Amino acid sequence: MLYVILGRDAPGSLAKRRAARPAHLERLQALVADGRLLLAGPLPAVDAPDPGPAGFTGSLIVAEFESQAAARAWAEADPYVTEGVFERVEVLPYLKVLP
């Protein structure tokens, strides 16, 4: 089943985000290689493709996992969690309807 992983950045975590990004992307690439990633990306803090020093408010991932518990375990092991980028993470079941 698909799950939404919605991580919300901690205030002032842009430097931590930049430092943890390579390891975070490596984990996402593993989901891509397994054919389990539907989409992933950051949420800019301002209405611009490059938010500059405003940074981000969080990230959204939609991926396939065997259960909500497995999706939560994956999310909790992500560098954005372990390195303090995210202050909170939601993991929700998702049913894709379109396209």
Side-chain angles (χ1 to χ4, degrees), residues 19-98:
R21 188 170 189 261
H24 171 73
L25 292 178
E26 185 176 323
R27 293 184 84 237
L28 290 172
Q29 286 299 332
L31 291 177
V32 171
D34 290 344
R36 297 171 41 204
L37 184 67
L38 184 64
L39 62 90
L43 306 171
V46 295
D47 188 12
D50 179 358
F56 301 91
T57 62
S59 295
L60 175 73
I61 298 166
V62 180
E64 183 179 345
F65 292 92
E66 37 307 328
S67 66
Q68 190 168 7
R72 175 152 298 284
W74 186 93
E76 289 175 356
D78 190 81
Y80 280 4
V81 172
T82 62
E83 298 303 314
V85 176
F86 292 158
E87 68 177 351
R88 70 180 189 280
V89 177
E90 290 183 76
V91 178
L92 306 165
Y94 176 73
L95 297 175
K96 182 181 177 201
V97 174
L98 295 171

